[in-house]
Amino acid sequence: MQRTLVVIGGGAAGFFCAINAASKNKGLRVIILEKTSKLLSKVRVSGGGRCNVTHACFSITEMIKKYPRGEKFLKQSFHHFFTTDTIQWFLERNVKLKTEDDGRMFPESNNSETIIECLLREANKYSVEILMNREVVEVENLSLDSNSNNNQNSAAHFKLTCRSGQELQADFLCIACGGYSKEQQFNWLAKLGHSYEFPVPSLFTFNVPQNNIVDLMGITLQNVVVKINGTKFKQEGPLLITHWGFSGPAILKLSAFAARRLSELNYDFSISVNWLPHLNENLVLDKLKELRTQIASRKIINSNPFNLPQRFWKYQLESCGIKEDIRWADLLAKLQNLLAIQLCSQQFSVKGKTTFKEEFVTAGGIKLIEVNSVTMQSKLVRHLFFAGEILNVDGITGGFNFQHAWTSGWLAANEIANLSQ
């Protein structure tokens, strides 16, 4: 009797599960249910339309540090399908990946359509059925004793009901519907017996209202340290000034690791920015004192001793009340001290966040204690699997969320293929 796998979700994790399960067991009927009219939408927009497939990190110990949630879980998963496997999988299908200076990996074509076309070709090759506009609103476990250790080879049947009223039955079910932003969206999963960490936004930018630093929008500081005052959270890296506040890798990483704390604070908090992370206040002060004697007659505005963007240097001087035409010899000690403090620990009030719908990531999802980290199978319901963002796993930017999608999708597919033989 032919068995059926239904995958809920037509994203990266769902596709990877479907096509790998179908290729490993050609007698398995595989169906993807996508609730919208678009497939692989995050793949399409990721990396500015280039698709940041994975990251050139080949140490599991280092890789798991890039995930604010799911570190221990992924330590087990990555031993079975890691970045090297992702690169090889695509290479075997004539898709070569290239590595950029920051470690991000993209298809050589620089076009996300290359990845999409590859996944669609595989789906077509192995006769994966794709049903669009099929939002699942209820899943019923038809197995009389799904947790029994007896009769392990029997199928665990599920009945799925779509919003349209259509019903489907499945012997295996993989839920790869992506992350949810609202707690009530988990209700249909909770009915299967699973619990979840409530969702909060991750990977967002900081709004800094009523601060004239936003006049410098477009300027990137290549290396700064940003700390959330009153907490342990801090990150180092590039910072981009925007017309609403701050973005860039340092901010996005900080928002990811501090996601739950910032939600508790209702996104109303303060940060401290060290614009010169390899210097402290005393060292900066010593440098300023040197300049007052070494280039005493030069105007401060024309010196810029720390190689900061010129417009940014001018902003710093103005913020300290230092006039443009003043010479180093005439710099008052109190203004010198203020400049040193500001360069090493400038304070900003953050009120609100900005998220980008296309690359929205949530912190939260199905509790990892309820899922086998090597097979992605539920520990509560036999033949029920999870893959991708629906799990309480999320990474920072740089290809890490996609790597989790490939890994979890492949592991689920591998186990389903074995069980369905």
Short mmCIF file of all heavy atoms in Angstrom, two decimals, residues 381-414:
data_model
loop_
_atom_site.label_atom_id
_atom_site.label_comp_id
_atom_site.label_asym_id
_atom_site.label_seq_id
_atom_site.Cartn_x
_atom_site.Cartn_y
_atom_site.Cartn_z
N VAL A 381 3.99 12.40 19.28
CA VAL A 381 3.11 11.83 18.27
C VAL A 381 3.95 11.15 17.19
O VAL A 381 4.74 11.82 16.52
CB VAL A 381 2.21 12.91 17.63
CG1 VAL A 381 1.27 12.29 16.59
CG2 VAL A 381 1.43 13.67 18.68
N ARG A 382 3.77 9.84 17.03
CA ARG A 382 4.54 9.13 16.01
C ARG A 382 4.21 9.62 14.61
O ARG A 382 3.07 9.95 14.30
CB ARG A 382 4.24 7.63 16.07
CG ARG A 382 5.12 6.87 17.04
CD ARG A 382 5.19 5.40 16.74
NE ARG A 382 3.91 4.79 16.43
CZ ARG A 382 3.69 4.07 15.33
NH1 ARG A 382 4.65 3.92 14.44
NH2 ARG A 382 2.52 3.52 15.13
N HIS A 383 5.23 9.68 13.79
CA HIS A 383 5.12 10.04 12.38
C HIS A 383 4.76 11.51 12.15
O HIS A 383 4.41 11.91 11.06
CB HIS A 383 4.12 9.14 11.65
CG HIS A 383 4.57 7.71 11.56
ND1 HIS A 383 3.96 6.80 10.73
CD2 HIS A 383 5.58 7.04 12.18
CE1 HIS A 383 4.57 5.63 10.85
NE2 HIS A 383 5.54 5.76 11.74
N LEU A 384 4.88 12.30 13.21
CA LEU A 384 4.74 13.75 13.10
C LEU A 384 6.12 14.38 13.18
O LEU A 384 6.89 14.09 14.10
CB LEU A 384 3.85 14.29 14.22
CG LEU A 384 3.73 15.83 14.32
CD1 LEU A 384 3.06 16.39 13.08
CD2 LEU A 384 2.96 16.21 15.59
N PHE A 385 6.44 15.26 12.22
CA PHE A 385 7.77 15.85 12.13
C PHE A 385 7.65 17.38 12.04
O PHE A 385 6.62 17.91 11.63
CB PHE A 385 8.52 15.33 10.90
CG PHE A 385 8.81 13.86 10.95
CD1 PHE A 385 7.82 12.93 10.67
CD2 PHE A 385 10.08 13.39 11.28
CE1 PHE A 385 8.09 11.56 10.73
CE2 PHE A 385 10.35 12.03 11.34
CZ PHE A 385 9.35 11.11 11.07
N PHE A 386 8.75 18.03 12.40
CA PHE A 386 8.82 19.50 12.30
C PHE A 386 10.11 19.89 11.58
O PHE A 386 11.14 19.20 11.71
CB PHE A 386 8.81 20.14 13.69
CG PHE A 386 7.57 19.88 14.48
CD1 PHE A 386 7.51 18.84 15.40
CD2 PHE A 386 6.44 20.68 14.31
CE1 PHE A 386 6.36 18.60 16.13
CE2 PHE A 386 5.28 20.44 15.03
CZ PHE A 386 5.24 19.40 15.95
N ALA A 387 10.07 21.00 10.85
CA ALA A 387 11.28 21.48 10.17
C ALA A 387 11.20 23.00 10.03
O ALA A 387 10.12 23.56 9.81
CB ALA A 387 11.43 20.83 8.80
N GLY A 388 12.34 23.65 10.17
CA GLY A 388 12.42 25.09 9.94
C GLY A 388 11.99 25.94 11.11
O GLY A 388 12.08 25.54 12.27
N GLU A 389 11.50 27.13 10.80
CA GLU A 389 11.23 28.17 11.80
C GLU A 389 10.10 27.85 12.77
O GLU A 389 9.96 28.54 13.78
CB GLU A 389 10.92 29.50 11.11
CG GLU A 389 12.14 30.29 10.71
CD GLU A 389 11.73 31.68 10.24
OE1 GLU A 389 11.11 32.43 11.01
OE2 GLU A 389 12.03 32.01 9.08
N ILE A 390 9.27 26.86 12.47
CA ILE A 390 8.19 26.52 13.39
C ILE A 390 8.78 26.00 14.71
O ILE A 390 8.13 26.06 15.75
CB ILE A 390 7.23 25.48 12.77
CG1 ILE A 390 5.97 25.33 13.62
CG2 ILE A 390 7.93 24.14 12.57
CD1 ILE A 390 5.13 26.59 13.73
N LEU A 391 10.01 25.53 14.67
CA LEU A 391 10.73 25.11 15.87
C LEU A 391 11.29 26.34 16.58
O LEU A 391 11.52 27.37 15.97
CB LEU A 391 11.87 24.16 15.52
CG LEU A 391 11.45 22.78 15.00
CD1 LEU A 391 12.62 22.12 14.26
CD2 LEU A 391 10.97 21.90 16.14
N ASN A 392 11.54 26.20 17.87
CA ASN A 392 12.11 27.31 18.64
C ASN A 392 13.61 27.41 18.41
O ASN A 392 14.43 27.24 19.30
CB ASN A 392 11.81 27.12 20.13
CG ASN A 392 12.25 28.32 20.96
OD1 ASN A 392 12.23 29.45 20.49
ND2 ASN A 392 12.66 28.07 22.19
N VAL A 393 13.94 27.65 17.14
CA VAL A 393 15.34 27.83 16.70
C VAL A 393 15.37 29.07 15.81
O VAL A 393 14.54 29.20 14.92
CB VAL A 393 15.83 26.62 15.89
CG1 VAL A 393 17.24 26.90 15.34
CG2 VAL A 393 15.84 25.36 16.74
N ASP A 394 16.30 29.96 16.06
CA ASP A 394 16.49 31.07 15.13
C ASP A 394 17.92 31.55 15.20
O ASP A 394 18.56 31.52 16.24
CB ASP A 394 15.51 32.22 15.40
CG ASP A 394 15.68 32.84 16.77
OD1 ASP A 394 15.23 32.23 17.77
OD2 ASP A 394 16.25 33.93 16.86
N GLY A 395 18.41 31.97 14.04
CA GLY A 395 19.80 32.42 13.95
C GLY A 395 19.88 33.89 13.59
O GLY A 395 18.88 34.53 13.25
N ILE A 396 21.08 34.41 13.63
CA ILE A 396 21.32 35.79 13.20
C ILE A 396 21.37 35.81 11.68
O ILE A 396 21.26 34.77 11.02
CB ILE A 396 22.61 36.35 13.82
CG1 ILE A 396 23.84 35.54 13.37
CG2 ILE A 396 22.51 36.37 15.34
CD1 ILE A 396 25.16 36.12 13.83
N THR A 397 21.55 37.00 11.10
CA THR A 397 21.65 37.08 9.65
C THR A 397 22.99 36.50 9.17
O THR A 397 23.98 36.50 9.90
CB THR A 397 21.56 38.54 9.17
OG1 THR A 397 22.57 39.31 9.82
CG2 THR A 397 20.20 39.12 9.49
N GLY A 398 22.98 36.01 7.93
CA GLY A 398 24.22 35.48 7.37
C GLY A 398 24.08 34.09 6.80
O GLY A 398 25.07 33.42 6.52
N GLY A 399 22.84 33.60 6.63
CA GLY A 399 22.64 32.26 6.09
C GLY A 399 22.35 31.21 7.13
O GLY A 399 22.16 30.03 6.81
N PHE A 400 22.32 31.61 8.39
CA PHE A 400 22.17 30.63 9.48
C PHE A 400 20.75 30.07 9.57
O PHE A 400 20.56 28.89 9.86
CB PHE A 400 22.59 31.26 10.81
CG PHE A 400 24.01 31.76 10.78
CD1 PHE A 400 24.29 33.11 10.63
CD2 PHE A 400 25.07 30.87 10.83
CE1 PHE A 400 25.60 33.57 10.56
CE2 PHE A 400 26.38 31.31 10.77
CZ PHE A 400 26.65 32.67 10.64
N ASN A 401 19.74 30.90 9.32
CA ASN A 401 18.37 30.39 9.36
C ASN A 401 18.11 29.43 8.20
O ASN A 401 17.40 28.44 8.37
CB ASN A 401 17.38 31.55 9.36
CG ASN A 401 17.33 32.25 10.70
OD1 ASN A 401 17.08 31.65 11.73
ND2 ASN A 401 17.62 33.55 10.71
N PHE A 402 18.69 29.71 7.04
CA PHE A 402 18.54 28.77 5.93
C PHE A 402 19.24 27.44 6.23
O PHE A 402 18.73 26.37 5.89
CB PHE A 402 19.07 29.37 4.63
CG PHE A 402 18.04 30.16 3.87
CD1 PHE A 402 18.33 31.42 3.38
CD2 PHE A 402 16.79 29.64 3.64
CE1 PHE A 402 17.38 32.16 2.69
CE2 PHE A 402 15.82 30.37 2.95
CZ PHE A 402 16.12 31.63 2.47
N GLN A 403 20.42 27.51 6.86
CA GLN A 403 21.11 26.25 7.17
C GLN A 403 20.26 25.39 8.10
O GLN A 403 20.19 24.17 7.94
CB GLN A 403 22.48 26.52 7.79
CG GLN A 403 23.27 25.23 8.06
CD GLN A 403 23.43 24.37 6.81
OE1 GLN A 403 23.89 24.84 5.78
NE2 GLN A 403 23.06 23.09 6.90
N HIS A 404 19.60 26.01 9.07
CA HIS A 404 18.70 25.25 9.93
C HIS A 404 17.55 24.65 9.11
O HIS A 404 17.13 23.51 9.36
CB HIS A 404 18.14 26.15 11.03
CG HIS A 404 16.97 25.57 11.74
ND1 HIS A 404 16.99 24.34 12.35
CD2 HIS A 404 15.71 26.07 11.93
CE1 HIS A 404 15.81 24.09 12.90
NE2 HIS A 404 15.01 25.12 12.64
N ALA A 405 17.06 25.39 8.13
CA ALA A 405 15.98 24.88 7.28
C ALA A 405 16.44 23.65 6.50
O ALA A 405 15.74 22.63 6.45
CB ALA A 405 15.51 25.97 6.31
N TRP A 406 17.63 23.74 5.88
CA TRP A 406 18.14 22.59 5.11
C TRP A 406 18.37 21.39 6.02
O TRP A 406 18.01 20.26 5.68
CB TRP A 406 19.44 22.95 4.39
CG TRP A 406 19.47 24.21 3.61
CD1 TRP A 406 20.44 25.18 3.66
CD2 TRP A 406 18.52 24.69 2.62
NE1 TRP A 406 20.15 26.22 2.80
CE2 TRP A 406 18.98 25.95 2.15
CE3 TRP A 406 17.33 24.18 2.12
CZ2 TRP A 406 18.30 26.69 1.18
CZ3 TRP A 406 16.64 24.92 1.16
CH2 TRP A 406 17.12 26.14 0.71
N THR A 407 19.00 21.64 7.17
CA THR A 407 19.33 20.55 8.09
C THR A 407 18.07 19.85 8.61
O THR A 407 17.95 18.62 8.54
CB THR A 407 20.16 21.07 9.27
OG1 THR A 407 21.44 21.52 8.79
CG2 THR A 407 20.40 19.98 10.31
N SER A 408 17.14 20.62 9.14
CA SER A 408 15.93 20.02 9.71
C SER A 408 15.09 19.34 8.64
O SER A 408 14.52 18.27 8.86
CB SER A 408 15.12 21.07 10.47
OG SER A 408 14.78 22.17 9.65
N GLY A 409 15.01 19.96 7.45
CA GLY A 409 14.26 19.35 6.36
C GLY A 409 14.86 18.03 5.92
O GLY A 409 14.15 17.04 5.69
N TRP A 410 16.18 18.00 5.81
CA TRP A 410 16.85 16.78 5.38
C TRP A 410 16.72 15.67 6.42
O TRP A 410 16.46 14.50 6.07
CB TRP A 410 18.33 17.06 5.11
CG TRP A 410 19.04 15.90 4.44
CD1 TRP A 410 19.18 15.70 3.10
CD2 TRP A 410 19.68 14.80 5.09
NE1 TRP A 410 19.88 14.54 2.88
CE2 TRP A 410 20.20 13.97 4.08
CE3 TRP A 410 19.88 14.43 6.42
CZ2 TRP A 410 20.89 12.79 4.35
CZ3 TRP A 410 20.57 13.27 6.70
CH2 TRP A 410 21.08 12.46 5.68
N LEU A 411 16.89 16.00 7.69
CA LEU A 411 16.80 15.00 8.75
C LEU A 411 15.40 14.40 8.82
O LEU A 411 15.23 13.18 8.98
CB LEU A 411 17.18 15.60 10.10
CG LEU A 411 18.66 15.96 10.28
CD1 LEU A 411 18.87 16.68 11.61
CD2 LEU A 411 19.53 14.71 10.22
N ALA A 412 14.38 15.25 8.70
CA ALA A 412 13.00 14.75 8.69
C ALA A 412 12.79 13.83 7.50
O ALA A 412 12.20 12.75 7.62
CB ALA A 412 12.02 15.92 8.66
N ALA A 413 13.26 14.25 6.33
CA ALA A 413 13.11 13.45 5.11
C ALA A 413 13.78 12.09 5.25
O ALA A 413 13.22 11.06 4.85
CB ALA A 413 13.70 14.21 3.92
N ASN A 414 14.96 12.08 5.80
CA ASN A 414 15.72 10.85 5.96
C ASN A 414 14.98 9.85 6.84
O ASN A 414 14.87 8.67 6.51
CB ASN A 414 17.09 11.17 6.55
CG ASN A 414 18.05 10.00 6.47
OD1 ASN A 414 18.30 9.46 5.40
ND2 ASN A 414 18.58 9.60 7.62
#
